[in-house]
Amino acid sequence: MKIRSVAHIASFSIALMAASAVSQTPAAVPSAPAASPSAAPAVPADPFPAADPKFFTAKSPTVDTVNAFLKQLWGYDATRAYRVMGIQPTAAAGVARVTVYVATPAAEAKVQPIEFYVLPDGKHAIAEGAGVVAFGAAPFAATAELLRSRADGATRGAASKALELVEFADLQCPHCKDAQPVMDQIVKDFPKAHVVFQLFPLVDIHPSAFKAAAYGVCVQKQSNDAFFKYADAVFAVQETLTPATDDALLKTAAANSGVNADTVAACASSPATKQIVDADIKLAFDAEINETPTLAVNGRVLPLTSIPYDVLKQIIQYQATLDGVDSGATAETLAGKSPQPVVSDLPK
């Protein structure tokens, strides 16, 4: 199964912000004002020009829907200012171009335009670097429901799935190994979160990942808690995993987790277990997961590659607040400094 390019970024929020650095001002909307070299050392309360009604000629989506969408994406960041500047029809029937001005939280308050395209169904949009993504006032709801019904990996934290955090990881992925202290911290910081370790072996680039996942499925069958010991043991030897060594190393990892290693080895080679791993891979693609490690927060897909942990905490708490869920995080936890992010395992 071919892994899609990391150019298809899992987080539309990050894709839009990346696009803002390179977007050209659309000819059909007013140019973004340039920052003045002599600007006062403070962000203006409103750095944007007034939106002109003549640039809002598309029947759909409405400004309210676009603002609700952007609030879902960006509302966690109180320093980010933006304004919808145009919603216009395009030559493609039913496709609307949305133009938004975004101001950086710097003293000069530099304003940059970005744009994305809303498709005729009103439920999807396209942005440069992001591909097709969910759009609307609740863009993460469908993915959240998908994961609540099908993510069946080993779990930590709360039994309730009201705040579900699903980590997609590959046991042969070096950056997934590096991400585990971050995931451990999340479990501590958000005690009311239901945290799932969802296996996603990148079979095209890691030749032993599928078998490691199969062993993991069978360890989990014997003991949920043993799975995490097994995963740690596999991460510890992942550099030496090869088709010639993996059976012995994975069997040892299973034994070190406290389960019956012979039973696990027999289970891992069964057609039924292989079907389970295939289903795990399919779930990842159905959820538009394109890299490991990736974290989905109530359906909001976040690449751990580019998000500092302090920002990640903000996003988790913000999503919990939007969904009316108590995360269990304290004010001290949310204000404190924590681990830094890891980088993606997929080649660019």
Side-chain angles (χ1 to χ4, degrees), residues 8 66 81 134 138 166 168 215 225 261-263 290-291 295 305-306 328 331:
H8 182 99
V66 174
V166 181
F168 287 85
Y215 270 75
D225 293 344
D262 290 331
T263 301
N290 301 290
E291 59 184 291
L295 184 68
T305 62
S306 53

Side-chain angles (χ1 to χ4, degrees), residues 253-272:
N256 290 340
S257 72
V259 300
N260 187 308
D262 290 331
T263 301
V264 167
C267 169
S269 63
S270 71

Side-chain angles (χ1 to χ4, degrees), residues 132-196:
V132 178
V133 298
F135 173 80
F140 314 124
T143 301
E145 183 58 30
L146 173 71
L147 296 181
R148 287 193 181 106
S149 63
R150 290 174 52 189
D152 56 2
T155 64
R156 293 186 283 177
S160 169
K161 295 183 179 181
L163 177 58
E164 183 174 57
L165 278 56
V166 181
E167 175 197 6
F168 287 85
D170 175 338
L171 292 171
Q172 205 177 0
C173 154
H175 303 301
C176 296
K177 173 182 176 179
D178 294 340
Q180 294 319 297
V182 176
M183 295 306 303
D184 292 343
Q185 191 66 42
I186 286 174
V187 172
K188 294 177 182 178
D189 288 347
F190 299 93
K192 293 188 178 181
H194 179 76
V195 184
V196 183

Side-chain angles (χ1 to χ4, degrees), residues 107-262:
E108 67 272 17
K110 185 177 181 182
V111 175
Q112 294 178 313
I114 64 171
E115 65 181 24
F116 57 92
Y117 296 85
V118 177
L119 302 185
D121 66 1
K123 298 178 180 179
H124 297 88
I126 298 176
E128 182 179 357
V132 178
V133 298
F135 173 80
F140 314 124
T143 301
E145 183 58 30
L146 173 71
L147 296 181
R148 287 193 181 106
S149 63
R150 290 174 52 189
D152 56 2
T155 64
R156 293 186 283 177
S160 169
K161 295 183 179 181
L163 177 58
E164 183 174 57
L165 278 56
V166 181
E167 175 197 6
F168 287 85
D170 175 338
L171 292 171
Q172 205 177 0
C173 154
H175 303 301
C176 296
K177 173 182 176 179
D178 294 340
Q180 294 319 297
V182 176
M183 295 306 303
D184 292 343
Q185 191 66 42
I186 286 174
V187 172
K188 294 177 182 178
D189 288 347
F190 299 93
K192 293 188 178 181
H194 179 76
V195 184
V196 183
F197 189 115
Q198 191 65 29
L199 291 161
F200 179 24
L202 305 180
V203 295
D204 285 347
I205 59 177
H206 293 149
S208 296
F210 190 99
K211 188 177 290 184
Y215 270 75
V217 166
C218 296
V219 170
Q220 184 189 345
K221 284 183 177 180
Q222 292 196 37
S223 168
N224 178 83
D225 293 344
F227 172 85
F228 294 98
K229 296 177 182 178
Y230 164 79
D232 286 344
V234 175
F235 283 137
V237 298
Q238 66 177 196
E239 292 182 0
T240 59
L241 282 175
T242 68
T245 64
D246 52 20
D247 274 314
L249 291 172
L250 295 172
K251 191 172 181 179
T252 298
N256 290 340
S257 72
V259 300
N260 187 308
D262 290 331

